[in-house]
Amino acid sequence: MTNRTPIIAGNWKMHNTLAESADLITALTKAGNKNHVEIIVAPSYTSLAKVAELAKGSEIQIAAQDVHWEDKGAFTSAVSPVQAKDAGAALTLIGHSERRSVFGDTDEILNKKVAAALRHGIKVIFCVGETLEEREAGKTLEVIESQLKNGLKDFTEEQLNGIIIAYEPVWAIGTGKTATPEQAQEVHANVRAYLAKAYSPAFAEATRILYGGSVKDSNVDEIMAKPDVDGALVGGQSLIADKFARIINFNK
């Protein structure tokens, strides 16, 4: 039995106007939390400050979806960790598969973003995951270990204290396909083994590893039952208040 507190995180991606974000966060503050999980939502930048304001006094923590590696400068369209924190973000996603595959974030870029977030006291949710081609080629564990090794390069265990890892198979994001609970458990166990080897067994045991990839109210109970699955990073259903509430209040 683990002492790791589960995390249910919602990534709103490029969805919701200010009014829609306000309605959603207001509904979620009333969702209940029977399992005493940590609840995190990651709205788009335009809604970040509003959502943070409306979530004050609730159990819901606010995350940015990404941050730049510089604090300020001529980086049109980017958002710095200083700006994200100022808007109310206590955490940030880094390395989401869409940042890797759509926007071309490399391990080197992600490493710089992790450094920037940590420098400003922003907790990192570091995302890893393989493509369908990589899974079919039997390279899943190799790919994920490489992403962890290079993305978290040169950080000490002390610096990474409190980091959250999210395993999100690229082939399961927004496709309706979901890794089986057994597939998720296998990867999560291997991520934990890597952390034990790269840092320490105590660090590995304390680090929470989330599963992301078409998590739904209909499959969350089975996924959360696995010993190395410490939570979920939810996409589409985090935009629907009653669905996300059901995921938050999964059945043990």
Side-chain angles (χ1 to χ4, degrees), residues 94-170:
I94 291 178
H96 190 280
S97 69
E98 289 152 14
R99 288 298 318 176
R100 292 176 187 268
S101 63
V102 179
F103 296 98
D105 280 9
T106 62
D107 288 338
E108 182 182 14
I109 287 172
L110 298 176
N111 185 257
K112 289 161 68 176
K113 289 182 174 184
V114 171
L118 295 179
R119 188 167 66 242
H120 291 284
I122 299 174
K123 188 179 285 189
V124 172
I125 304 172
F126 189 73
C127 305
V128 296
E130 82 284 13
T131 64
L132 182 60
E133 292 74 22
E134 288 164 341
R135 173 161 280 275
E136 289 179 341
K139 294 182 176 177
T140 294
L141 302 180
E142 176 187 333
V143 166
I144 288 165
E145 183 166 326
S146 175
Q147 290 172 344
L148 289 166
K149 180 180 178 181
N150 295 317
L152 303 180
K153 185 179 178 183
D154 296 331
F155 295 114
T156 65
E157 180 177 322
E158 186 178 10
Q159 287 174 307
L160 294 177
N161 181 43
I163 194 170
I164 300 160
I165 307 296
Y167 166 57
E168 34 165 44
V170 178

Side-chain angles (χ1 to χ4, degrees), residues 10-33:
N11 177 14
W12 295 1
K13 305 191 181 185
M14 198 174 70
H15 294 287
N16 290 352
T17 61
L18 273 173
E20 289 166 341
S21 293
D23 288 345
L24 181 54
I25 192 64
T26 299
L28 293 177
T29 60
K30 303 169 185 174
N33 185 4

Side-chain angles (χ1 to χ4, degrees), residues 151-225:
L152 303 180
K153 185 179 178 183
D154 296 331
F155 295 114
T156 65
E157 180 177 322
E158 186 178 10
Q159 287 174 307
L160 294 177
N161 181 43
I163 194 170
I164 300 160
I165 307 296
Y167 166 57
E168 34 165 44
V170 178
W171 49 271
I173 298 172
T175 63
K177 296 178 181 177
T178 311
T180 66
E182 291 72 28
Q183 286 172 321
Q185 167 59 25
E186 179 192 21
V187 175
H188 282 226
N190 277 276
V191 169
R192 206 173 301 285
Y194 170 79
L195 296 176
K197 178 179 66 176
Y199 301 99
S200 74
F203 176 77
E205 181 61 26
T207 299
R208 289 172 293 179
I209 307 170
L210 315 184
Y211 172 73
S214 296
V215 176
K216 306 180 184 70
D217 58 343
S218 59
N219 62 21
V220 65
D221 298 342
E222 201 177 359
I223 291 168
M224 289 299 299

Side-chain angles (χ1 to χ4, degrees), residues 37-49:
V37 303
E38 286 188 27
I39 307 168
I40 299 166
V41 297
S44 65
Y45 293 127
T46 57
S47 297
L48 198 54

